[in-house]
Each structure stands twice: as C-alpha cells, then as structure tokens.
Amino acid sequence: MFFPDVYGSWEEKQREKYEGIFRVLGDEFLSKLFRSRSLDIGYGTGFLEKFLESRNIPAKLYGIDTRPAAAERFVLGDGAQLPFMDESFDFIISIDTMHLIGSDDFKRVLVKRGYALLGLFFNDDNRQERVKLLHDKLRGFEI
C-alpha cells in the first residue's frame, strides 16, 4: 500500500529535519515546549515521537492523522476540523502536512500566545506558492 511504503522510506529524512529544527531553535527551548501540551498534526507513523524518545525528551505529545497509528495519545481525524476544545494545546507542530489542510483550525486549538511550528517541503516550481501558504496560515501570529 502507498502509505507505509512511502512514509516508511522517509524516516531518515524526517530525522534530519528534526535534528535541523533542534539545532536552529535549541534543545532547551524545544524540550520545554514539548513538555507542554503539544499536538503533532500529520502524525503519520510517529516519526516525531520516535525522535523525541531517542533524545530522551519527555513529551506531552498528541498526534492526529487521517490514517490510524498505534500510539497512546493518537486521534484519528482531519487536521482541517480538529476534534479538540478551543485552546487545548500550548504548542502545535506540523511538518510537511499543512499544504494538505484547507483550514486554519489549528489556530482555534492553540492557546493565546502559544507556539506553532509549521514546515513544508517545496521544490523550485512551488517554492513561492508554499511560502505564501505558510504566510497565510500564520497571519495574525507574531513571527
């Protein structure tokens, strides 16, 4: 099936992305964020959770995706209509998923003055489109 074959082959690339994010933003800052109520939109097969575990970072991480996953704090659902109460999370992270989500519902479930870390992959053909998409998603945020 497409999902396990493709996403299973991306684990090393995802690890590299997370290592880069930690290098830029700092272990201490991100470790603190992950200790708060965190939501991984586009959980997939749990790459982020595995990465945090490999770094011994205790996390209050919840995951949501449209495909089932075997994780303790996982919710099967759509990132466009998050099944959580308003202001449920202190930190939202979504790597390589927001281009698939047609709404900004993540803003509703994020506490005021919370943190959102969004990343998108792009190529030379769609770079400008993806930059605009991220700017639009983060409208109203302090960047």
Side-chain angles (χ1 to χ4, degrees):
M1 180 182 253
F2 177 80
F3 184 81
D5 292 343
V6 171
Y7 289 107
S9 69
W10 288 354
E11 189 161 5
E12 186 55 37
K13 185 53 72 182
Q14 290 301 106
R15 175 178 265 300
E16 290 173 16
K17 288 178 186 180
Y18 297 136
E19 286 173 354
I21 291 167
F22 270 74
R23 203 171 26 259
V24 170
L25 297 178
D27 283 4
E28 187 176 325
F29 174 70
L30 285 172
S31 294
K32 180 181 173 185
L33 283 180
F34 280 112
R35 283 188 203 95
S36 65
R37 297 168 300 171
S38 305
L39 177 62
D40 180 4
I41 300 174
Y43 182 85
T45 58
F47 295 147
L48 176 59
E49 191 164 34
K50 291 174 195 171
F51 176 79
L52 295 172
E53 288 171 0
S54 76
R55 293 180 74 119
N56 295 315
I57 296 172
K60 291 183 184 171
L61 183 67
Y62 291 80
I64 186 166
D65 209 307
T66 56
R67 299 268 184 167
E72 183 179 335
R73 290 185 224 119
F74 175 81
V75 175
L76 184 63
D78 184 346
Q81 296 178 320
L82 296 165
F84 304 106
M85 294 174 46
D86 294 358
E87 298 188 28
S88 296
F89 297 96
D90 303 296
F91 179 41
I92 302 283
I93 184 165
S94 183
I95 305 299
D96 299 337
T97 304
M98 279 295 164
H99 65 287
L100 301 171
I101 298 173
S103 81
D104 294 343
D105 199 38
F106 74 95
K107 293 177 181 179
R108 178 186 61 78
V109 300
L110 185 63
V111 299
K112 289 178 181 24
R113 309 284 305 159
Y115 290 88
L117 176 59
L118 310 180
L120 292 175
F121 58 86
F122 59 89
N123 59 40
D124 291 340
D125 295 332
N126 67 7
R127 182 181 184 282
Q128 289 303 100
E129 170 193 324
R130 296 292 168 90
V131 167
K132 182 182 179 332
L133 187 146
L134 274 179
H135 279 275
D136 290 347
K137 294 257 184 220
L138 294 172
R139 186 169 288 123
F141 278 78
E142 184 178 321
I143 299 176

